[in-house]
Amino acid sequence: MFSKGTYEQLPAHNGSTTKTRHWKTKRVCVILLVFFTLGIGLHGTRFTHSFLGTGRCSRYNSSTGEDLPKHYTLPSGDKIPSVALGLWKAGKNEVGRAVQTAVKSGYQHLDGAWIYGNEAEVGAALKQTDTPREDIWLTSKLWNSFHDPDDVESALDESLSRLGTDYLDLYLIHWPLALNKDGSVYNQELTDDPYPTWKKLEELVDKGKIRNIGVSNFNIRRIQNLTANPLKYPPAVNQVEINFWFPQPELLAWSKEYGILLEAYSPLGGDGRVGETLSVPVVKEIAAELDITPAQVINSWHVQRGTVVLPKSVTPCRVEENLHITKLPDELFEKLETAALLHEPKRGVNPSKGWGIDFDIFD
Ligand code: A2P
């Protein structure tokens, strides 16, 4: 259970007050006021959207997303919120504030991992909020070097202790790769057959330390390789890269057929491609038509396709913006889906070379 407390205070402004500074500030304020009054008066919020584009925070229509699912129900009966704050690449000294903004804005789902190196700050930030533990869905992931059944529980315990909780709502095998503890060479046997790792995870479900288990970055062949075993709890979730550039329609259809929920990471395209995603003409057209932002179009599209969406942001107004999704009218949804399927699919994340393994982790 997270203990109660208050939100962290933002650092106060430095108090220097020279005349010149006041004068400059006033001038800037007047210019900005005239500019925005004209802008909004002439073109409404769309003007501000298109002017501000993807760079900083744009105004957004705080649609409640009532008509898109707020949760999906997993085989355990647990309800997983359809939008989460993604915590990958959320850096030190910024992730805590992002978590607090998220919780304050109404997020009930945080998607983290041991390897992100920020679980202690996430836990500390959660502790500062008044949120009862059961109101937040916490996901973490088992890192590659801990697949040995003897290492799984201690790896989980470390995440639990850093997050300040005694259970996770969801724990995923982060990659279908078992590295040796020193990270040097991969463990061929456990990589080819993740069942011993999985059995340990099942035990931890029975022990009450995890409520649901799943995988991440598994393709169909690797999931089938796992589910060919006599599993007590089949994988409830597979977290994979999905975005406009890499929409994964086959995996999505197959997962729906087999009752595995997909979670979309890098949903906006990831750091390197977010600008490009939000500038796609059809995305901008739909945003203008519905008076929402391009990021909201993309986030809504993900949930409308039937996946959990995990947009990462450490910018407070973007964190808030990303929570507000809304159903796209069918013809606009189809237009976006068609555009996403029209180009050659291009993955943004593939660490195989960086790990120095002699095969592609997605093969
Ligand atoms: P930041 O964290 O600085 O706000 P993805 O979720 O696909 O991995 O994309 C993450 C990237 O997208 C980050 O660079 C993040 O920036 C940026 N981002 C997140 N939300 C928005 C948004 N609503 N509008 C524009 N950029 C966003």
Side-chain angles (χ1 to χ4, degrees):
M1 177 79 77
F2 308 118
S3 62
K4 296 188 175 205
T6 51
Y7 287 106
E8 210 172 64
Q9 295 296 310
L10 292 176
H13 272 301
N14 113 23
S16 117
T17 51
T18 64
K19 268 187 184 172
T20 327
R21 203 162 174 178
H22 267 146
W23 181 80
K24 275 187 184 163
T25 312
K26 266 189 194 161
R27 200 168 64 159
V28 169
C29 286
V30 168
I31 291 170
L32 280 177
L33 191 70
V34 169
F35 181 75
F36 277 100
T37 310
L38 270 176
I40 291 164
L42 284 173
H43 303 280
T45 45
R46 280 178 206 172
F47 171 83
T48 348
H49 286 163
S50 54
F51 173 73
L52 291 172
T54 62
R56 296 204 172 189
C57 286
S58 41
R59 292 166 64 93
Y60 58 88
N61 173 348
S62 57
S63 153
T64 57
E66 260 158 14
D67 43 7
L68 280 178
K70 287 220 179 296
H71 302 94
Y72 299 101
T73 305
L74 297 182
S76 64
D78 285 354
K79 291 186 185 319
I80 180 169
S82 54
V83 181
L85 179 68
L87 299 173
W88 182 32
K89 295 187 184 168
K92 224 172 159 25
N93 301 324
E94 54 182 19
V95 67
R97 192 170 74 146
V99 165
Q100 290 190 344
T101 305
V103 171
K104 201 158 61 163
S105 314
Y107 279 76
Q108 294 190 304
H109 185 174
L110 302 175
D111 183 81
W114 181 90
I115 196 66
Y116 301 164
N118 55 18
E119 288 187 322
E121 190 171 329
V122 171
L126 275 174
K127 206 171 172 185
Q128 303 259 323
T129 70
D130 279 337
T131 320
R133 172 65 186 91
E134 61 274 17
D135 289 355
I136 290 281
W137 183 282
L138 282 182
T139 297
S140 185
K141 308 182 190 88
L142 176 75
W143 186 240
N144 306 346
S145 354
F146 309 127
H147 283 211
D148 185 321
D150 289 341
D151 296 331
V152 173
E153 186 162 8
S154 51
L156 169 67
D157 286 345
E158 195 162 75
S159 287
L160 291 175
S161 131
R162 288 177 181 171
L163 290 166
T165 181
D166 52 12
Y167 74 93
L168 289 177
D169 297 281
L170 179 63
Y171 200 42
L172 307 177
I173 296 186
H174 205 148
W175 289 91
L177 176 75
L179 283 177
N180 286 332
K181 265 173 236 165
D182 58 5
S184 57
V185 199
Y186 69 94
N187 178 327
Q188 180 94 52
E189 213 177 314
L190 263 185
T191 298
D192 290 348
D193 178 13
Y195 185 47
T197 312
W198 192 261
K199 263 202 294 198
K200 187 69 203 183
L201 292 175
E202 291 179 330
E203 253 178 69
L204 294 167
V205 172
D206 290 338
K207 228 172 159 176
K209 290 188 174 186
I210 316 170
R211 293 187 56 92
N212 299 276
I213 46 179
V215 293
S216 180
N217 296 299
F218 275 51
N219 59 18
I220 296 174
R221 180 181 74 77
R222 289 186 187 277
I223 292 183
Q224 285 174 328
N225 180 38
L226 173 64
T227 55
N229 295 287
L231 307 185
K232 185 167 183 189
Y233 306 117
V237 159
N238 184 16
Q239 184 176 124
V240 291
E241 175 178 354
I242 305 182
N243 49 52
F244 181 82
W245 310 108
F246 197 64
Q248 304 230 51
E250 298 83 13
L251 180 64
L252 180 58
W254 182 87
S255 305
K256 281 184 181 173
E257 193 180 336
Y258 288 91
I260 299 175
L261 179 67
L262 289 189
E263 296 186 321
Y265 75 71
S266 297
L268 301 172
D271 281 350
R273 293 192 294 187
V274 58
E276 220 183 318
T277 310
L278 303 187
S279 311
V280 168
V282 64
V283 174
K284 286 169 74 174
E285 271 168 40
I286 296 174
E289 189 161 330
L290 300 180
D291 199 16
I292 58 178
T293 68
Q296 289 174 326
V297 170
I298 294 288
N299 290 327
S300 303
W301 170 69
H302 282 288
V303 175
Q304 204 157 335
R305 294 178 101 214
T307 72
V308 170
V309 66
L310 313 167
K312 172 266 173 183
S313 179
V314 290
T315 311
C317 55
R318 288 175 176 168
V319 169
E320 200 176 331
E321 174 185 338
N322 290 338
L323 182 64
H324 299 289
I325 55 170
T326 192
K327 185 171 183 294
L328 310 177
D330 290 346
E331 70 281 8
L332 297 182
F333 173 79
E334 287 308 332
K335 209 170 163 184
L336 181 51
E337 183 72 16
T338 306
L341 301 186
L342 215 58
H343 54 77
E344 193 61 30
K346 202 162 171 243
R347 217 182 256 293
V349 179
N350 189 345
S352 309
K353 281 197 184 122
W355 287 332
I357 53 176
D358 55 2
F359 61 95
D360 189 310
I361 195 65
F362 294 110
D363 283 344

